[in-house]
Amino acid sequence: MQMSLTADSPVPSSSTSSGDDFAALLDAELDSASDVSPDPEADEVDEDEDSGHDSAHISDLERIKRRKVEVLESTGHQQNPTSDGEEAEVSASLEKDECPHPGCIGGLCIRCGKKMDDESGVAFGYIHKNLRLANEEIARLREKDLKNLFRHKKLYLVLDLDHTLLNSSRLLDITEEEGYLRCPQENLPDALKGSLYNLHFMHMMTKLRPFVHTFLKEASKLFEMYIYTMGERAYAIEMAKLLDPGDVYFHSRVIAQGDCTQRHQKGLDVVLGQESAVLILDDTESVWGKHKENLILMERYHFFASSCRQFGFNCKSLSQERSDESETDGALATILRVLQKIHSIFFDSAHEESLLNRDVRQVLKTVKKEVLKGCRVVFSRVFPTQFPAENHQLWQMAEQLGATCTTEIDPSVTHVVSLDAGTKKSRWATREKRFLVSPKWIETANYLWQKQPEENFPVNLETKQ
């Protein structure tokens, strides 16, 4: 008998269930999730071969009662109760033990069926409608799944949607210059076929980022992947179908705005993965206030003109220029190489027992500090007057990339980062044959995880950026 909370669990691991409480239920789900094709929008329930009713009409209470029977069957206790008296025996038998109430659905404990008034724990509605898990159970599941994941030499990867994996625009916002995008698929330019979708039923058009399918295929070999978006669930599910039409990578590990536990913030509290083994790809740092150490910041993908307008860019979009990012050297291809390097370092020559003490956030820091290692940087006319230099984003970014930042020029300085070639420090850099670069030199290195050719980032007199 397969014991399953629902067919749409988000955790395709390979753990072995114990079969004696709700923990066993989720453990079994860790075993079976990779073999299912879920519909996260549906409030699915398990099939009961002995029942003549459609499973979609089984109430939460009936499901819980049936779960009690499955627990006892799996542990060799009472078999197949069919009467009210037998069902009462099942309840009494379960309630002899003190129930830890590991989780509840619809306010009822899934182990003992007792009504739960407490709203403690965390809601996991994307796993199953109205599901809440107690903090202790979440910790237990994370620890168990981490061991299973490490046996497969995998980590967790949380992926943002908009501007990270794709770009969407309302059909109403498509400009006249972008009108060619409305052509049927067969009439689109070859570069857009298979990556541009006119979603009339959503009044929306979506463009997948170049290299995204290869990225997901290769990343899935190293990571268990989640989608995490601040968009609505209906939108998230449709985007997941475009990215993963075969339901190979995500299953129902699709977290949307309604699953967040804090307004306007994303958090790993709704991810069934240990924070020490999670990497995040997102174009917006501010939404990850508690988890910036897990974050790899992505350069935003602006395909549509509406996307450029949204972020205040007064320039033509990729669609208006009829161009796109490079498949081989674009953002996703670059980040895939970074992820592969981090994964390799994390698992390199490590025994399984020592892996549990490792932290991918430390590996991330180490890899990042190699980018500008050996550079000593002074800033000129970059920070507002009276602003503490060490608190500025560019200063902190440079230090995270391994550079040493200072406020004064001296013979050890290698780079002057400036907005104006006419400042005293800028002229010193030119006279002393030091590198004089614009702030975009640091920003680009941060996105590409590689030191950039300084000559590509010149500084002119009173450059405005």
Side-chain angles (χ1 to χ4, degrees):
M1 176 185 296
Q2 177 180 330
M3 294 183 294
S4 175
L5 172 64
T6 176
D8 55 355
S9 166
V11 191
S13 305
S14 54
S15 47
T16 304
S17 64
S18 59
D20 60 351
D21 55 15
F22 176 59
L25 175 85
L26 286 184
D27 289 345
E29 196 61 25
L30 298 181
D31 282 334
S32 62
S34 59
D35 298 325
V36 300
S37 297
D39 177 4
E41 288 292 277
D43 181 16
E44 295 183 353
V45 294
D46 300 329
E47 294 182 0
D48 185 355
E49 295 177 355
D50 298 326
S51 171
H53 302 289
D54 189 280
S55 62
H57 300 291
I58 300 175
S59 69
D60 285 339
L61 181 59
E62 289 170 327
R63 187 187 301 109
I64 292 167
K65 290 178 178 179
R66 186 177 64 199
R67 171 63 191 132
K68 295 178 185 178
V69 176
E70 291 179 347
V71 168
L72 292 179
E73 286 179 346
S74 68
T75 53
H77 290 83
Q78 180 77 28
Q79 300 286 324
N80 299 323
T82 57
S83 69
D84 291 341
E86 289 173 315
E87 194 171 278
E89 282 186 39
V90 173
S91 297
S93 174
L94 280 172
E95 291 170 2
K96 285 181 182 179
D97 301 322
E98 289 187 14
C99 180
H101 306 312
C104 64
I105 291 180
L108 300 174
C109 175
I110 299 182
R111 184 177 187 226
C112 70
K114 180 179 178 181
K115 183 173 176 59
M116 305 291 294
D117 296 323
D118 187 10
E119 288 294 308
S120 63
V122 179
F124 285 83
Y126 69 92
I127 297 179
H128 190 287
K129 186 178 179 181
N130 298 324
L131 171 66
R132 296 187 73 88
L133 296 179
N135 293 328
E136 295 79 5
E137 181 65 6
I138 295 171
R140 192 196 71 81
L141 289 169
R142 283 175 175 162
E143 181 179 359
K144 185 177 183 69
D145 197 47
L146 185 67
K147 293 177 181 178
N148 293 320
L149 212 60
F150 282 173
R151 277 199 289 271
H152 291 82
K153 289 194 172 181
K154 284 191 172 186
L155 297 165
Y156 302 98
L157 182 62
V158 176
L159 298 165
D160 173 53
L161 285 177
D162 295 287
H163 304 108
T164 297
L165 299 182
L166 50 83
N167 191 204
S168 293
S169 173
R170 295 189 309 168
L171 292 177
L172 288 174
D173 294 329
I174 298 297
T175 66
E176 184 177 348
E177 200 172 359
E178 297 173 295
Y180 73 100
L181 299 176
R182 298 179 183 273
C183 296
Q185 277 280 337
E186 60 270 18
N187 296 331
L188 286 172
D190 290 342
L192 296 180
K193 290 178 180 177
S195 67
L196 182 70
Y197 298 88
N198 200 335
L199 307 173
H200 291 286
F201 65 99
M202 297 182 72
H203 310 289
M204 182 176 292
M205 189 177 289
T206 293
K207 171 67 172 63
L208 303 185
R209 198 166 198 166
F211 195 72
V212 68
H213 288 303
T214 303
F215 172 86
L216 293 175
K217 179 181 178 182
E218 294 304 315
S220 70
K221 299 174 184 178
L222 310 177
F223 299 90
E224 294 289 359
M225 298 187 296
Y226 284 75
I227 285 174
Y228 199 147
T229 176
M230 295 297 276
E232 297 292 340
R233 170 156 293 277
Y235 171 74
I237 295 304
E238 291 304 323
M239 296 304 102
K241 289 177 182 177
L242 299 182
L243 292 165
D244 185 16
D247 196 27
V248 175
Y249 307 126
F250 301 112
H251 303 287
S252 63
R253 295 190 302 275
V254 179
I255 304 172
Q257 183 184 81
D259 301 305
C260 299
T261 57
Q262 187 176 348
R263 188 173 175 82
H264 304 310
Q265 284 287 300
K266 296 180 178 180
L268 295 180
D269 51 349
V270 292
V271 174
L272 286 177
Q274 294 278 28
E275 291 182 19
S276 60
V278 177
L279 291 174
I280 302 165
L281 294 189
D282 204 314
D283 67 286
T284 305
E285 183 179 35
S286 59
V287 298
W288 290 102
K290 295 181 179 179
H291 307 288
K292 291 182 180 179
E293 291 185 338
N294 300 81
L295 175 66
I296 295 176
L297 190 63
M298 294 289 294
E299 184 175 12
R300 287 195 175 106
Y301 182 48
H302 296 293
F303 182 77
F304 296 106
S306 61
S307 181
C308 289
R309 292 196 302 271
Q310 176 188 349
F311 287 89
F313 293 121
N314 185 23
C315 62
K316 285 194 173 185
S317 67
L318 291 169
S319 61
Q320 290 172 310
E321 293 179 343
R322 301 198 177 205
S323 64
D324 210 343
E325 286 185 354
S326 166
E327 281 271 349
T328 56
D329 298 318
L332 288 178
T334 297
I335 292 303
L336 177 62
R337 292 190 286 270
V338 173
L339 292 173
Q340 290 169 334
K341 183 175 183 179
I342 292 172
H343 179 276
S344 177
I345 293 173
F346 187 92
F347 287 101
D348 184 36
S349 303
H351 298 293
E352 184 174 339
E353 57 271 20
S354 65
L355 283 175
L356 296 176
N357 298 320
R358 292 197 170 194
D359 194 323
V360 75
R361 291 169 291 194
Q362 296 303 318
V363 179
L364 178 61
K365 286 181 181 178
T366 300
V367 172
K368 198 166 190 177
K369 279 188 173 293
E370 292 294 316
V371 176
L372 295 183
K373 184 179 179 180
C375 297
R376 188 172 177 85
V377 176
V378 163
F379 294 89
S380 178
R381 199 165 291 180
V382 173
F383 311 144
T385 306
Q386 306 301 321
F387 188 90
E390 63 275 10
N391 293 339
H392 195 275
Q393 182 184 13
L394 272 174
W395 180 292
Q396 295 175 354
M397 187 182 291
E399 288 191 329
Q400 291 167 3
L401 293 170
T404 301
C405 297
T406 180
T407 57
E408 299 297 332
I409 54 176
D410 64 51
S412 66
V413 169
T414 60
H415 294 74
V416 173
V417 178
S418 178
L419 287 172
D420 185 353
T423 68
K424 179 181 178 181
K425 292 175 181 176
S426 297
R427 294 197 304 272
W428 174 87
T430 302
R431 185 175 64 253
E432 299 295 326
K433 300 189 184 307
R434 302 300 197 271
F435 292 113
L436 177 62
V437 292
S438 73
K440 287 193 178 295
W441 178 73
I442 295 176
E443 294 170 351
T444 306
N446 187 58
Y447 286 128
L448 298 182
W449 288 67
Q450 187 173 0
K451 185 171 174 282
Q452 298 299 296
E454 287 83 358
E455 60 270 20
N456 293 345
F457 301 87
V459 181
N460 300 316
L461 288 172
E462 297 183 352
T463 301
K464 303 297 182 185
Q465 299 192 18

